[in-house]
Amino acid sequence: AQKVTQAQTEISVVEKEDVTLDCVYETRDTTYYLFWYKQPPSGELVFLIRRNSFDEQNEISGRYSWNFQKSTSSFNFTITASQVVDSAVYFCALSHPRVGGSQGNLIFGKGTKLSVKP
Amino acid sequence: SAVISQKPSRDICQRGTSLTIQCQVDSQVTMMFWYRQQPGQSLTLIATANQGSEATYESGFVIDKFPISRPNLTFSTLTVSNMSPEDSSIYLCSVVFLWDAGQETQYFGPGTRLLVL
């Protein structure tokens, strides 16, 4: 089965707090790709990060960091010193290569709604 | 990244009518997808829009209800036919585009918010 689980439905923090959004995935394939997207109240889906199954190196981009651990099938997302503008729904997603090597469709988790209060 | 536009951005429709949503990309792309996001829910893939051939639909979605066209590598349409209130959703198109160091990723259009009365 191919599945993405985001167990946290909603998280509320106060500005400047650190927050981690959990993502657990299931797949039988050895090659796959993991993603995080942000959906602010405006509704647009904003791409944040992609990770390949063969690249477990963690990623840091400003206040954002991602921890990919194949041993636990997790791809967690941490926001350091959160800000009100970080308030959004965050989706974790999984995809696999199609025949010919191009990327296939995304399988989304249910999303985590993050509210950052001033 | 690609610039993706959708028309209309939102609409309110009467049940039993049909609405065609357009997706335009500013460069040629191989893969295009249509997703649905029901209120408060995650995104679900409707179909893969194939250029020059019939779309590939996911389980639970059929061509009669969601006909799709893809006449070229920069444009696609999704029609929501014979609408009912259950079709009220955000409809998003996405394209696969090169992100970084030759890696592909999916970028999404701004979405079409549909309310069916």
Side-chain angles (χ1 to χ4, degrees):
Chain A
Q2 299 170 351
K3 185 180 177 183
V4 176
T5 301
Q6 294 180 256
Q8 304 151 310
T9 305
E10 291 192 42
I11 300 176
S12 182
V13 300
V14 177
E15 212 170 16
K16 297 184 182 178
E17 284 185 13
D18 298 347
V19 58
T20 295
L21 309 182
D22 297 334
C23 174
V24 174
Y25 62 92
E26 295 177 32
T27 179
R28 291 180 180 167
D29 294 345
T30 56
T31 301
Y32 52 90
Y33 315 115
L34 296 166
F35 304 81
W36 277 94
Y37 287 86
K38 174 182 179 180
Q39 189 175 42
S42 60
E44 192 161 345
L45 216 62
V46 179
F47 165 72
L48 296 177
I49 187 76
R50 161 183 160 150
R51 260 294 170 259
N52 302 330
S53 54
F54 50 83
D55 181 8
E56 282 195 77
Q57 187 175 8
N58 291 327
E59 178 89 9
I60 298 175
S61 177
R63 295 184 297 108
Y64 295 171
S65 63
W66 291 270
N67 184 358
F68 176 28
Q69 292 197 345
K70 290 180 74 171
S71 60
T72 56
S73 297
S74 66
F75 186 42
N76 296 337
F77 174 29
T78 298
I79 301 175
T80 303
S82 59
Q83 300 176 2
V84 173
V85 293
D86 295 327
S87 298
V89 179
Y90 290 87
F91 291 98
C92 181
L94 167 71
S95 78
H96 300 82
R98 301 169 73 97
V99 173
S102 185
Q103 185 197 126
N105 61 280
L106 293 165
I107 302 163
F108 283 88
K110 292 186 180 298
T112 297
K113 182 178 181 180
L114 174 64
S115 298
V116 182
K117 303 188 185 307
Chain B
S1 65
V3 175
I4 309 166
S5 59
Q6 284 186 235
K7 289 182 183 179
S9 59
R10 59 179 65 233
D11 207 342
I12 301 173
C13 300
Q14 297 298 318
R15 70 169 68 211
T17 63
S18 298
L19 176 72
T20 295
I21 302 168
Q22 298 180 4
C23 178
Q24 179 75 54
V25 191
D26 68 343
S27 54
Q28 293 186 344
V29 292
T30 304
M31 304 299 297
M32 289 181 78
F33 303 95
W34 285 97
Y35 290 83
R36 180 177 74 180
Q37 186 178 24
Q38 294 177 301
Q41 302 296 315
S42 186
L43 285 81
T44 301
L45 179 67
I46 298 172
T48 303
N50 300 309
Q51 194 267 327
S53 63
E54 196 170 282
T56 305
Y57 290 84
E58 297 300 301
S59 175
F61 298 95
V62 294
I63 187 171
D64 289 346
K65 176 67 176 177
F66 297 102
I68 288 171
S69 78
R70 177 101 188 265
N72 56 54
L73 293 176
T74 64
F75 185 78
S76 177
T77 66
L78 167 73
T79 298
V80 186
S81 304
N82 188 23
M83 288 184 284
S84 66
E86 291 71 35
D87 294 320
S88 297
S89 297
I90 301 174
Y91 293 86
L92 301 103
C93 70
S94 77
V95 303
V96 175
F97 207 74
L98 290 180
W99 164 52
D100 184 29
Q103 296 190 75
E104 295 180 328
T105 196
Q106 282 193 36
Y107 293 93
F108 285 80
T112 296
R113 294 177 182 266
L114 172 62
L115 177 62
V116 183
L117 302 177

